Amino acid sequence: MNIKRNIFALATAALALSSCNKFLDQMPDNRTTLDTQDKVIALLVSAYPDAPYFVTNEFYSDNVDETAIANPDYSLLDDQLYHWQDVTAAGNDTPDKLWEACYRAIAAANHALEAIPNLPDSEELHAAKGEALLCRAYAHFILVNTFCQAYNPIYANEDLGVPYMDHAEKELNPQYERGTVAEVYAKIASDLEEGLPLVNDAIYKVPKYHFNVKAAYAFAARFYLFYQKWDKAIECANKVLGSAPAGMLRDWAANGALGLQSADGERLLRTMDYIDYAHKCNLLLMTSVTEYGVAWGPYRAYTRFAHGNWLDQTETFRAITAPWGRNYSPYSPPYSNNNGTTDKAYGWRIPYLFEYKDPVNQIGFPHAVTPVLTTDETLLVRAEAYIMQKNYTAALEDMNLWVQNYCSGSKTMTLASINSWASDTDFHKAEAPTTKKKFDAPAFPIEAGDQEAMCYAIVHMRRVETCHLGLRLYDVKRYGITMTRRKLLHPTQLDATTGELKPRDPRCAVQIPSEVILAGLPANPR
């Protein structure tokens, strides 16, 4: 496939020229007068961030290595994120674009919330209010987990948060405060509690591009897991999964049975199936302007910092130290290439979709569609919450269901088998990687023995399930896992370690945009 790198460069340069130093000082949409419920509902299309968090989070996480290949391809952004540096690169996928997109989405939600009380009461407006509250909560959730430390009750009242925008801005030059992580989480919880009962699928033509009921509760389940409210996480997950969760999960066997590429060479069939809105497993889909479908796909681009074959075989999709045994096979194996110029092993998850603005001159913008909430991840959210409650029987039921759906040839896990696996599996080392990474400073108490062993297993499962989708960084921060940067001598051998990021290192919080710092908002410490 032609990846149109010259067009990417043009698109990136054009977007980089747009100002990103404004906060929320203008209407985020051309519907300047929200005087009907239809206009309010239409505005909420803009209440979802259109910049991806998975780019920042994946390159910041331990899901990438510096691979040993000839003529590696990379960008300044990849380099800076991989080395945990403050980003100065420009483009569609930078942290400042994510920050701007989230606050732009929040502004749209706030303008809708401000307009609703002034309109005639209706069921549709109640649902719109619920959607707006969920959107506001979700965007703040992405911001606080990316640009701040993980929620930890010991430190949350001291750790810098992000400004929580709970009203439409009217001042010409507003001043903001970051507050604390605890304050942000409390406000997210408040928006969720008010918004969840109001959400109603009936007002949407395509519910899965909005906070439909199941998506809303899936987000709430994830939030309460991070907030360490185990009962609420389980309660919300139950509303998503129902009484027969097996029928709600992704059909990995069907995905793996598809061919790799369409006849015209323009579509990756398994990737397009992964994002199909018709699947019950996909609860909320979001679109973004990004070229990183190329980075996480079978292309000879973005190859210097990549999810390579060593990661695949030792830590993620096909790891030989998985808690469910060695002799298993994923129903939909990752794409794998190692030919001296490319060392990639990627799941079929992030599409490269090109939107032509000028087909004659081949000019346009790259896009991606991403399932940001799925039933499979919600199942693992519930399993983790059960583990925290020490309800290992219920947790194992969910964990085994996930594994049996993911691969063939797996062993049924029991508490005894997981304890044995945890005891027999060495801790991960840069030169001898395994699936078991030590919890150096978790954000919550973990008892030695059964609970710790179960946590090692569920963290690995979440890593596989969310690989390429940006959530691994959040789990690394929550569990206090040290990340080590590896430069490879060849695809299965370490050359050298080039950096280390320990739990609660100030760099665990991605730096906020420089223009926001210049405007007076306190920077993350370094």
Side-chain angles (χ1 to χ4, degrees):
M1 296 184 194
N2 179 2
I3 60 170
K4 307 175 181 68
R5 294 299 297 272
N6 58 329
I7 300 174
F8 290 158
L10 288 172
T12 300
L15 288 176
L17 295 175
S18 64
S19 173
C20 61
N21 63 352
K22 297 183 186 295
F23 238 144
L24 304 171
D25 55 355
Q26 59 182 310
M27 184 69 165
D29 193 89
N30 62 3
R31 290 171 284 268
T32 54
T33 304
L34 297 176
D35 52 6
T36 69
Q37 73 175 25
D38 288 344
K39 288 183 179 180
V40 169
I41 293 171
L43 175 62
L44 289 176
V45 173
S46 303
Y48 296 84
D50 59 1
Y53 63 88
F54 58 80
V55 173
T56 293
N57 290 3
E58 284 296 294
F59 281 102
Y60 222 76
S61 80
D62 56 355
N63 280 342
V64 288
D65 281 326
E66 186 173 358
T67 58
I69 59 173
N71 303 315
D73 179 81
Y74 67 100
S75 71
L76 176 60
L77 175 62
D78 316 336
D79 196 345
Q80 291 179 327
L81 289 172
Y82 178 83
H83 291 103
W84 307 308
Q85 297 171 354
D86 294 354
V87 172
T88 61
N92 301 337
D93 296 294
T94 56
D96 68 307
K97 288 296 184 183
L98 174 61
W99 177 279
E100 180 185 6
C102 284
Y103 278 112
R104 189 166 56 243
I106 292 164
N110 282 335
H111 279 282
L113 289 168
E114 183 182 68
I116 287 170
N118 300 319
L119 297 172
D121 190 42
S122 70
E123 184 177 347
E124 289 80 6
L125 282 179
H126 287 183
K129 180 178 180 180
E131 182 182 8
L133 289 166
L134 265 293
C135 287
R136 186 167 75 183
Y138 178 82
H140 283 108
F141 177 83
I142 296 300
L143 288 164
V144 74
N145 282 286
T146 301
F147 294 98
C148 306
Q149 297 285 353
Y151 176 83
N152 183 328
I154 297 174
Y155 304 107
N157 286 306
E158 302 171 2
D159 286 337
L160 282 173
V162 293
Y164 202 95
M165 299 304 304
D166 57 5
H167 62 278
E169 188 55 67
K170 297 181 177 63
E171 296 181 23
L172 180 61
N173 186 26
Q175 301 299 309
Y176 300 97
E177 295 181 359
R178 291 190 60 172
T180 66
V181 169
E183 290 170 341
V184 175
Y185 265 71
K187 290 176 180 178
I188 292 173
S190 177
D191 277 349
L192 278 178
E193 288 163 10
E194 184 179 0
L196 281 170
L198 301 176
V199 174
N200 185 341
D201 294 359
I203 70 169
Y204 309 122
K205 292 181 179 179
V206 186
K208 290 187 179 180
Y209 283 95
H210 301 268
F211 265 112
N212 57 80
V213 173
K214 286 190 179 296
Y217 279 99
F219 166 50
R222 183 192 294 170
F223 167 74
Y224 285 125
L225 181 75
F226 284 29
Y227 205 14
Q228 302 172 27
K229 312 292 185 185
W230 319 126
D231 286 341
K232 287 190 173 183
I234 293 167
E235 177 186 348
C236 291
N238 288 342
K239 291 182 182 294
V240 177
L241 299 168
S243 59
M248 296 291 296
L249 301 182
R250 186 175 304 280
D251 190 341
W252 279 117
N255 181 271
L258 295 171
L260 300 184
Q261 194 167 299
S262 60
D264 60 7
E266 290 298 317
R267 291 181 295 129
L268 299 176
L269 297 179
R270 294 183 191 176
T271 304
M272 297 309 294
D273 177 73
Y274 185 84
I275 66 169
D276 191 339
Y277 70 88
H279 293 328
K280 292 181 180 179
C281 59
N282 290 333
L283 302 176
L284 178 62
L285 298 165
M286 288 191 188
T287 62
S288 53
V289 178
T290 177
E291 64 184 63
Y292 276 77
V294 175
W296 286 290
Y299 308 93
R300 292 183 182 179
Y302 298 98
T303 52
R304 180 175 179 179
F305 308 110
H307 183 276
N309 285 274
W310 205 18
L311 273 169
D312 167 41
Q313 295 163 16
T314 61
E315 298 186 44
T316 58
F317 298 114
R318 292 182 281 198
I320 60 173
T321 56
W324 50 86
R326 292 173 177 263
N327 299 316
Y328 70 93
S329 177
Y331 286 119
S332 183
Y335 158 80
S336 179
N337 193 351
N338 172 27
N339 59 11
T341 59
T342 305
D343 176 18
K344 283 187 174 185
Y346 284 116
W348 307 93
R349 298 184 176 180
I350 305 294
Y352 160 55
L353 306 170
F354 200 83
E355 178 188 6
Y356 288 100
K357 295 296 185 181
D358 183 346
V360 175
N361 293 307
Q362 297 282 288
I363 295 174
F365 297 98
H367 290 265
V369 177
T370 313
V372 297
L373 292 164
T374 67
T375 56
D376 300 69
E377 192 250 341
T378 303
L379 184 72
L380 296 183
V381 164
R382 186 170 73 176
E384 185 178 343
Y386 280 139
I387 290 169
M388 296 307 168
Q389 292 184 328
K390 302 182 185 177
N391 186 348
Y392 304 131
T393 299
L396 283 163
E397 185 175 347
D398 285 348
M399 292 162 72
N400 278 309
L401 179 58
W402 182 90
V403 169
Q404 291 156 11
N405 190 59
Y406 170 68
C407 63
S408 62
S410 63
K411 296 179 180 178
T412 299
M413 295 178 292
T414 65
L415 186 57
S417 75
I418 286 182
N419 272 304
S420 178
W421 161 79
S423 177
D424 295 343
T425 302
D426 293 334
F427 279 116
H428 177 281
K429 296 179 181 177
E431 69 278 10
T434 72
T435 56
K436 182 182 162 190
K437 289 196 168 183
K438 188 176 181 182
F439 304 147
D440 291 317
F444 37 80
I446 300 175
E447 281 189 7
D450 292 348
Q451 190 174 55
E452 186 176 44
M454 290 286 284
C455 284
Y456 285 129
I458 195 68
V459 167
H460 172 60
M461 296 169 73
R462 283 184 56 83
R463 187 178 188 184
V464 173
E465 173 60 35
T466 66
C467 195
H468 313 334
L469 302 178
L471 296 183
R472 171 63 177 177
L473 178 63
Y474 299 160
D475 288 350
V476 165
K477 290 161 71 169
R478 290 192 304 126
Y479 275 89
I481 296 171
T482 295
M483 294 190 290
T484 302
R485 287 308 190 213
R486 305 187 302 183
K487 184 176 182 180
L488 304 187
L489 184 63
H490 64 70
T492 58
Q493 184 178 347
L494 179 69
D495 180 8
T497 58
T498 57
E500 186 176 71
L501 191 66
K502 291 184 175 295
R504 292 195 56 78
D505 184 300
R507 293 171 297 166
C508 288
V510 175
Q511 187 59 273
I512 67 175
S514 59
E515 293 191 32
V516 178
I517 296 170
L518 290 173
L521 205 64
N524 286 328
R526 287 293 185 259

